[in-house]
Amino acid sequence: MTTRNLPTPPTPEKPGPTRPFRLTRFFSLTSLAGILLVTAGLIGTYRELTLQHLIDHESRATADLTRAFANTVWHQYRDFVLAADGRSREELLANPAQAQLRADVLGKMAGLQVAKVKIYSRDGLTVFSTDAAQIGEDKSGNPGFLEARAGRVSAQITHRDRFDAFEGVINDRALIASYVPVRHGTAIDTEPEGVFEVYSDVTEMLKQQQQAQWQVAGVVLAMLGSLYMFLFFVVRRADRIIARQERERATREQQVHHQAYHDALTGLPNRTYFSERLAETTALSRRHQRACTLMFIDLDRFKFVNDSLGHDAGDQLLKTVSQRIAGCLRGGELLFRIGGDEFTVILPQTFVPEEVSSVARRVLEAVAAPVSIHEHELVVGATIGIAVFPDDGDNAETLLKNADAAMYSAKKSGRNTHAFYRAEMNERALQRLQLEAELAKGFRNGEFALYYQPRLDAGTRRVVAFEALLRWISPTRGVVPPADFVGVLEDTGMMTMVGEWVLRSACTQMVRWRQQGREVLRVSVNVSAMQFQGGGFVPMVERVLADSGVAAGLIELELTESLLIDKPEQARSKIASLKALGVRISIDDFGTGYSSLNYLRHLAVDCLKIDRSFIADVADDARDRAVATAITEMAKALDITVVAEGVETEAQAAFFSGIDCGELQGYLFCRPQPPDQVWGCLEAAALPSLQHS
């Protein structure tokens, strides 16, 4: 069943738009972030712990080394250190103990990772250093020295790009400076008599620790990665299970929701949704100050089918009828089944009763077509009541009641028909129905005719072509112009058939003129949108030309701009096919709002007809003259002939002749005439033309 006209039921209200929770994605992002954070924290902690451990180890080793040194040789230099306070650098360097102390220190430190040794007095004077340049310096404010003088061993790590070690200058090294108090004797509670500062080179040890650090980090990452992958697969499976359960839940909710708002038999929206949508439509119509229409459809003789053939046959009939009604509706028109054999249609936007009446007739014709069920050919009809908002009710409830009342009124008048709630709308609908019937009868009875109006060369005033204009010569209405009935022909689908008749009649008349001894001129024929967009239009033109024997170059097909704009690709393809046959193409009413240089560039157009709205005041209105001149210049640049139609005064004709317009057409020269009178009109107007050979 077609669904193009089925409204979308309302969805249950939610707190707000939500996105589905992706457990796998959430786990992946958070776990990876956690692994990175844990690894970074582990590396930082490991580095700090190993570094502190290295410092503690070196400070203890240095303290032991210092005590061992003090136990063996300190007594030799104790007096020298204690008596050093207040002495100058030169005096310290001149003391014979310096050389011996240096020899003892270097001897004791040989083979160790010691890069420099300094000895401070209690007042912070550098009494000795393996770097002689530092002897005599005051380090009384050094934090490490102060810690050691207080009796505590302290150490700190530092990095030096260049360092003067007792073995020479070393570069890019990591050093630990340890400050160790030196006491007399073995008692640890005595006050320090001096401070040793020992620089240990730990560069290689740090490199080893860093390698160990990255090895540990790699192992941890591998273990965490393995754990992550295991958990990832577990979470992904759980995520899929949750997603499947969520889809199943959403599907169940959707099914329940669909059942609540749809008819189980036909699949159409039901009465519940109809009430909501009708209220919504009337509210929108009130807000935008426009009309909307409700059609109430009741099937005729449905009860007889149900009772005689059973409910199964009745159900099949309802399905078929609902499909047929839906197929009659256009986009935006909404169909509902509100119970039993009753349907409703909401037309959200309506402008004239004729539109609604046309929809109703399409529905009646579709429903009335025979239906084959259980080897029975059934014929049912429908009766339609129509109510228009706001005139027939200013709310949904009143509108439905009045549409129902109109339906019952139509049933009393004779089934298989439609009726408006208001009498004047019924009158207009009846008039339209009568006009359609008269048109169909008139076409069958040969009441249609072609009138011809000449087109003149703007320079020579010589007749160069004719336009064939459709007329309906009604016994009761007289000569009816196309504007009064062409729209009805299109609504009823007759336009394709009438259009072929027009082209065939024009070709036949051209043959007749040739037989009368007149040189046949070009004839232009108007083409409707329905006719042009039909799939058989180009073959029809080819067939008519072949049947009549008229040269294709003598036929000019007039198309409207709106027709070309609506479906440009289709128009381009068909025009190319027509040009291949040899016919000429003209654009009628050019300049009325759709004009576009773009389609003129891509379409093989032979002629532009300037709309008469630009011609009426062209003699007095500078803007109209500017537009007409611009169109003419543009067309000449594109090698397209321009026709000024609707010329009624000599001033208008003179203007267009002055701007080198191609052709002129209008009442100034000749009104549309029957084919046997148009030549007489030309002769009476003394227009130069090819009259007789």
Side-chain angles (χ1 to χ4, degrees), residues 258-469:
H258 187 273
Q259 292 170 359
Y261 282 91
H262 285 79
D263 171 50
L265 177 64
T266 63
L268 294 174
N270 58 16
R271 178 182 287 272
T272 301
Y273 186 38
F274 163 72
S275 300
E276 294 182 10
R277 196 57 186 268
L278 182 59
E280 176 186 325
T281 303
T282 54
L284 285 173
S285 296
R286 182 181 292 108
R287 182 184 309 162
H288 297 291
Q289 297 182 345
R290 66 190 183 200
C292 66
T293 300
L294 174 64
M295 298 172 57
F296 194 104
I297 305 172
D298 185 81
L299 301 186
D300 300 331
R301 303 182 67 251
F302 175 75
K303 186 175 184 301
F304 171 78
V305 174
N306 223 25
D307 293 343
S308 58
L309 299 181
H311 291 287
D312 182 57
D315 289 348
Q316 291 188 44
L317 178 61
L318 287 173
K319 291 180 182 179
T320 302
V321 168
S322 65
Q323 293 174 11
R324 290 181 176 180
I325 296 175
C328 295
L329 304 181
R330 298 165 299 189
E333 298 172 345
L334 312 177
L335 173 63
F336 306 82
R337 183 191 177 202
I338 60 174
D341 60 347
E342 295 178 337
F343 299 84
T344 56
V345 173
I346 297 176
L347 309 180
Q349 294 187 57
T350 51
F351 301 98
V352 292
E354 288 81 359
E355 292 183 13
V356 182
S357 183
S358 177
V359 175
R361 285 195 301 276
R362 289 201 304 269
V363 171
L364 292 175
E365 291 174 4
V367 174
V371 181
S372 296
I373 297 177
H374 295 171
E375 300 181 352
H376 296 278
E377 189 171 85
L378 307 177
V379 178
V380 295
T383 304
I384 303 176
I386 302 171
V388 179
F389 175 89
D391 295 336
D392 298 339
D394 61 356
N395 57 67
E397 183 180 356
T398 304
L399 202 65
L400 177 61
K401 182 184 69 174
N402 290 341
D404 188 30
M407 185 272 296
Y408 278 105
S409 175
K411 278 189 178 291
K412 292 178 182 178
S413 302
R415 299 168 184 264
N416 199 33
T417 186
H418 69 280
F420 286 88
Y421 179 70
R422 286 183 293 154
E424 58 268 28
M425 287 192 174
N426 272 325
E427 182 64 27
R428 290 178 62 179
L430 289 173
Q431 290 175 359
R432 171 64 178 259
L433 189 60
Q434 182 180 1
L435 177 61
E436 292 178 5
E438 290 183 18
L439 272 173
K441 181 180 178 182
F443 183 66
R444 291 194 304 269
N445 294 343
E447 297 174 5
F448 284 14
L450 291 184
Y451 279 30
Y452 294 85
Q453 188 176 32
R455 284 164 41 181
L456 287 70
D457 182 276
T460 64
R461 299 290 178 95
R462 186 179 187 84
V463 178
V464 293
F466 290 101
E467 180 178 1
L469 299 166

Side-chain angles (χ1 to χ4, degrees), residues 365-637:
E365 291 174 4
V367 174
V371 181
S372 296
I373 297 177
H374 295 171
E375 300 181 352
H376 296 278
E377 189 171 85
L378 307 177
V379 178
V380 295
T383 304
I384 303 176
I386 302 171
V388 179
F389 175 89
D391 295 336
D392 298 339
D394 61 356
N395 57 67
E397 183 180 356
T398 304
L399 202 65
L400 177 61
K401 182 184 69 174
N402 290 341
D404 188 30
M407 185 272 296
Y408 278 105
S409 175
K411 278 189 178 291
K412 292 178 182 178
S413 302
R415 299 168 184 264
N416 199 33
T417 186
H418 69 280
F420 286 88
Y421 179 70
R422 286 183 293 154
E424 58 268 28
M425 287 192 174
N426 272 325
E427 182 64 27
R428 290 178 62 179
L430 289 173
Q431 290 175 359
R432 171 64 178 259
L433 189 60
Q434 182 180 1
L435 177 61
E436 292 178 5
E438 290 183 18
L439 272 173
K441 181 180 178 182
F443 183 66
R444 291 194 304 269
N445 294 343
E447 297 174 5
F448 284 14
L450 291 184
Y451 279 30
Y452 294 85
Q453 188 176 32
R455 284 164 41 181
L456 287 70
D457 182 276
T460 64
R461 299 290 178 95
R462 186 179 187 84
V463 178
V464 293
F466 290 101
E467 180 178 1
L469 299 166
L470 180 63
R471 295 291 185 268
W472 174 27
I473 305 175
S474 170
T476 57
R477 301 173 185 264
V479 180
V480 184
D484 294 343
F485 65 88
V486 167
V488 180
L489 292 177
E490 292 182 340
D491 290 343
T492 56
M494 292 179 59
M495 196 64 241
T496 301
M497 179 173 54
V498 173
E500 181 175 352
W501 177 87
V502 169
L503 180 60
R504 191 174 293 276
S505 298
C507 289
T508 301
Q509 184 60 55
M510 295 170 73
V511 173
R512 187 175 296 119
W513 278 335
R514 184 172 59 200
Q515 292 171 349
Q516 293 173 358
R518 300 185 185 276
E519 183 173 349
V520 181
L521 304 179
R522 282 185 289 111
V523 173
S524 63
V525 176
N526 289 280
V527 178
S528 73
M530 175 181 292
Q531 184 182 8
F532 181 77
Q533 292 169 356
F537 178 67
V538 176
M540 181 274 291
V541 173
E542 185 176 12
R543 184 173 61 251
V544 171
L545 291 175
D547 292 345
S548 64
V550 173
L554 294 175
I555 295 298
E556 184 176 292
L557 302 178
E558 293 193 12
L559 312 174
T560 62
E561 283 193 288
S562 58
L563 184 152
L564 302 177
I565 295 297
D566 288 343
K567 298 181 179 179
E569 292 302 323
Q570 183 188 70
R572 184 185 307 177
S573 175
K574 287 198 174 182
I575 288 176
S577 300
L578 292 169
K579 293 293 292 183
L581 296 178
V583 300
R584 291 168 57 86
I585 301 297
S586 172
I587 299 179
D588 197 12
D589 301 332
F590 186 81
T592 54
Y594 293 93
S595 303
S596 170
L597 292 176
N598 186 48
Y599 76 74
L600 287 181
R601 285 195 308 113
H602 297 292
L603 297 179
V605 174
D606 299 290
C607 182
L608 296 180
K609 300 187 75 174
I610 301 178
D611 186 68
R612 62 184 68 246
S613 62
F614 294 106
I615 295 174
D617 299 323
V618 75
D620 304 315
D621 192 313
R623 287 180 177 271
D624 286 349
R625 289 198 298 272
V627 171
T629 302
I631 293 175
T632 303
E633 293 297 328
M634 174 190 67
K636 285 193 296 185

Side-chain angles (χ1 to χ4, degrees), residues 55 62 154-158 175-179 197-200:
I55 294 173
T62 301
S154 69
Q156 60 185 19
I157 191 166
T158 181
L175 304 167
I176 293 180
S178 301
Y179 295 86
E197 180 183 5
V198 180
Y199 284 87
S200 303

